[in-house]
Amino acid sequence: MIAAFEGWNDACQAATNVIRHLVGQYESREIRHISCDGYYDYQVARPMMCHAAGYANLIWPQTTFYDITLAPHRHLYAQIAPEPNYRWRNYCSESLAIAEELDVNQIITLGSMFSDCPHTRPLPLSVSDGACQCEGDREYNGPVGIPTVLDVAAADQGFSHASMWVSIPQYLGSDECAAGTLRLLQALGDRIGFAFDTGDLQSKSDHWKAQASILVRCNDQLADYVGHLEHEYDLKQKADAEASLGAPQAEQLVKEAEAFLRNMGE
């Protein structure tokens, strides 16, 4: 089961749009809900007015669980909701009770966050599995949202679990970021061993990058800032690549560098 939550954990809607994409791309049906009562502050997560067939309806914030058919004998469950305002422990217990009822064997939470990263490079992705940070920057310490709380609760109840976060360039504002959604979708596919239909996400991602590049070209100060981010990004990628080399390869690189310097001095 994958889970994503609107709000603080969902920069540019990149995480929740993974679920919206899957629901729209595959045969899907709503199978469970969690009542909004007791979990939301309606001055923060306000109900919406919807007029249909001449009638006015109030749509209250709620949690929806989907059964998504990926293939004839392969299903994926998805949970999507605004981040609750109250009683997070109870909310996670109720969510995991539904997961257990559905015989879910793994919980994967999705999130997106604003960060100092350039739009001209692959968006940074952090994937953690339990206490092990498998990819991305060093382990995070600080305030957390409901995805992290659900991830920890899943671990406490014995579920296999993972968390995936994509970073979004903070200088581009809060418009939807298809590049972030595509990055998460591809990482999710790698995780579960399934090639998702990406639909129009690639073309939307290319459009997002093109618009960002136009914005940067029109602002010299922003262009300098993005250039700095690109330099920092490339340095980190190079450092990570060198750190991934084993001791024999690293020693060989040192010997080659020393030989080059000796030849330069002769």
Side-chain angles (χ1 to χ4, degrees):
M1 185 176 77
I2 60 175
F5 301 89
E6 300 168 359
W8 189 70
N9 321 275
D10 191 31
C12 296
Q13 298 80 57
T16 53
N17 277 348
V18 171
I19 294 177
R20 295 187 185 98
H21 174 81
L22 293 174
V23 167
Q25 207 70 24
Y26 295 93
E27 180 182 345
S28 306
R29 59 191 179 94
E30 297 183 18
I31 55 172
R32 298 287 191 282
H33 297 92
I34 293 178
S35 171
C36 56
D37 292 340
Y39 290 125
Y40 291 101
D41 177 349
Y42 297 133
Q43 290 182 321
V44 177
R46 291 184 179 272
M48 303 291 291
M49 177 66 75
C50 178
H51 289 85
Y55 292 93
N57 298 286
L58 281 175
I59 309 299
W60 295 87
Q62 70 172 356
T63 300
T64 302
F65 292 82
Y66 290 95
D67 181 351
I68 303 171
T69 302
L70 301 178
H73 300 289
R74 187 159 193 184
H75 291 247
L76 177 72
Y77 297 112
Q79 175 182 4
I80 185 171
E83 182 178 54
N85 303 107
Y86 306 118
R87 302 169 58 223
W88 282 13
R89 291 187 182 91
N90 288 30
Y91 180 85
C92 289
S93 294
E94 195 167 348
S95 298
L96 294 176
I98 292 174
E100 189 170 0
E101 178 187 346
L102 296 172
D103 291 326
V104 165
N105 56 21
Q106 183 175 194
I107 306 288
I108 301 176
T109 56
L110 307 177
S112 53
M113 58 186 173
F114 289 114
S115 181
D116 293 326
C117 59
H119 72 279
T120 53
R121 302 291 189 269
L123 297 180
L125 183 74
S126 175
V127 180
S128 61
D129 189 349
C132 172
Q133 190 81 8
C134 303
E135 181 180 343
D137 295 333
R138 60 182 179 273
E139 293 184 7
Y140 171 76
N141 294 291
V144 298
I146 194 67
T148 303
V149 176
L150 180 61
D151 188 53
V152 172
D156 291 343
Q157 293 195 27
F159 285 93
S160 174
H161 62 101
S163 179
M164 299 180 177
W165 287 79
V166 66
S167 294
I168 309 294
Q170 53 83 21
Y171 58 86
L172 293 179
S174 59
D175 290 342
E176 290 190 7
C177 178
T181 299
L182 182 61
R183 189 90 161 97
L184 282 173
L185 186 67
Q186 292 170 336
L188 178 63
D190 292 341
R191 174 77 188 192
I192 69 173
F194 186 83
F196 289 112
D197 184 348
T198 59
D200 61 357
L201 279 179
Q202 186 61 62
S203 61
K204 287 183 175 180
S205 175
D206 293 340
H207 181 66
W208 173 83
K209 291 178 182 177
Q211 285 187 314
S213 294
I214 292 173
L215 177 65
V216 171
R217 285 199 298 269
C218 295
N219 187 319
D220 291 341
Q221 185 175 1
L222 182 57
D224 289 342
Y225 174 65
V226 173
H228 170 73
L229 293 180
E230 290 173 335
H231 179 68
E232 292 295 318
Y233 186 101
D234 293 343
L235 283 179
K236 182 180 183 305
Q237 290 297 109
K238 183 179 179 181
D240 289 345
E242 291 176 354
S244 67
L245 295 173
Q249 293 94 328
E251 185 177 351
Q252 181 61 32
L253 284 176
V254 172
K255 290 180 178 178
E256 291 175 359
E258 290 174 343
F260 175 77
L261 292 173
R262 282 197 302 269
N263 291 335
M264 288 287 290
E266 293 177 355

